[in-house]
Amino acid sequence: MTVVVLRRGDLLVGTFTAMGGPCEVLFENCNEASARRLCDLAAAEVLRIERKFSRYRDDSAVGAINAAGGAPVRIDDETARLLDLAAQCHALSGGRFDVTSGILRRVWKFDGSDRLPSRGRVKALLPLIGWEKVAWHNPVITLPAGMEIDLGGLGKEYAADRAADLLAAAAPAAALVNLGGDLRATGPRSDGAAWRVGVEDPGREDHAERILEMKTGGLATSGDARRYLLRGGVRYGHLLNPRTGWPVRDAPRAVTVAAPTCTEAGVLATLAMLHGRDAEAFLDGQGVTWWCHR
C-alpha cells in the first residue's frame, strides 16, 4: 500500500487507497515524518481489516465461514464481535439488515445502467438468505451450505474506528480519519475548533450539499449517489430488501448520521435507508443527530 503525505493549508494529509476507495487521515501540529508514521499505522490497520473480512479472499475469516459447506466454524473474538453486532442489527431492523443478503450481488450490478435482473433470477436466491437460518453460538457459527455472509455493511466504519483508536493511543494531537466518507475524529483541533466536513449532494457529484462540524466521534452517510440503476425514470438504489431481493422502496437519496463512533453512525444511516419511507421516524427514535435528503 502506498501512503502519500501532502500539506493542505495548516494540515498534513496522509492518503492511501483501501476498501475500494480513497482514504485519508488529517493531522495538525505534526511534522511530515510523524504524519507519515501515523498514517502508515492507520493504513496498515485498515488493510488488515480489509483482508480479514473480505468476502473475495479464500484466506479471510469470512471466506472460511462461507467455504465451510454447512460445517461449524470456530471463529476469533474480533470476528465474533462483528457477528454479534450483525445479529443486533438484524433484530433492531426487524430483519431488514441481513448479512446473508450479500449473495444478491450475483444478479444485481449497480453500475448506473438500466439492466435490471429478471424476477426469476432474484427469486431463485431468496432461499439462500436469512440470518434466522444461521446457527450462531459464540464462538461457533454454522452457515447452511450454499449461504454466504458479507460483513461489507460494517467493515469500513469499523476500520475507521479502529484506525482512530490506534492514532489516539499513539499521538497526543487529534486526527480525522476519512475512509471514503465514513469519518471518525479523535478529538477537536488544537485550538478547540471543530473539523469541518463537507457532505456530498447526492444529486450533484463532487458538490457539497452542506458543511458539518465535528469535534469528536463518528459521521457516516448512506445513499444511492454512486451505486444505482435507472430504468423508465425510476431510480433503483443499491440497498436491497432481503425478503424480496429488490431495492428498498421510497428510501431517501441519502442519510447522514453523527454518533459516538463511526460504526454506530454507519449502522444507523444504513438502517434508516432500509426503513424506506419511514426513515425519518426511525431516526427520530435513535437519540442521534441526523440529516436526510429526499
Side-chain angles (χ1 to χ4, degrees), residues 20-39:
C23 306
E24 62 182 16
V25 185
L26 282 63
F27 306 94
E28 64 171 354
N29 296 329
C30 186
N31 61 44
E32 184 170 340
S34 295
R36 179 172 295 281
R37 176 180 61 81
L38 293 169
C39 195

Side-chain angles (χ1 to χ4, degrees), residues 42-64:
E45 180 65 358
V46 173
L47 181 61
R48 180 191 71 80
I49 292 169
E50 180 179 31
R51 288 174 171 169
K52 181 171 182 177
F53 298 111
S54 172
R55 62 178 180 265
Y56 300 110
R57 296 175 66 99
D58 294 338
D59 60 349
S60 72
V62 169

Side-chain angles (χ1 to χ4, degrees), residues 152-194:
L154 303 171
K156 192 163 61 169
E157 294 88 344
Y158 172 68
D161 284 332
R162 282 290 306 151
D165 289 344
L166 289 178
L167 293 174
L176 178 67
V177 177
N178 176 11
L179 304 186
D182 293 324
L183 300 106
R184 171 77 183 273
T186 64
R189 299 185 62 170
S190 58
D191 61 357

Side-chain angles (χ1 to χ4, degrees), residues 3-4 8 19 31 73 96 156 158 186 234 267 269 294:
V3 173
V4 177
R8 185 187 300 166
M19 296 190 162
N31 61 44
V73 178
R96 294 176 177 87
K156 192 163 61 169
Y158 172 68
T186 64
V234 178
V267 163
R294 288 283 180 180

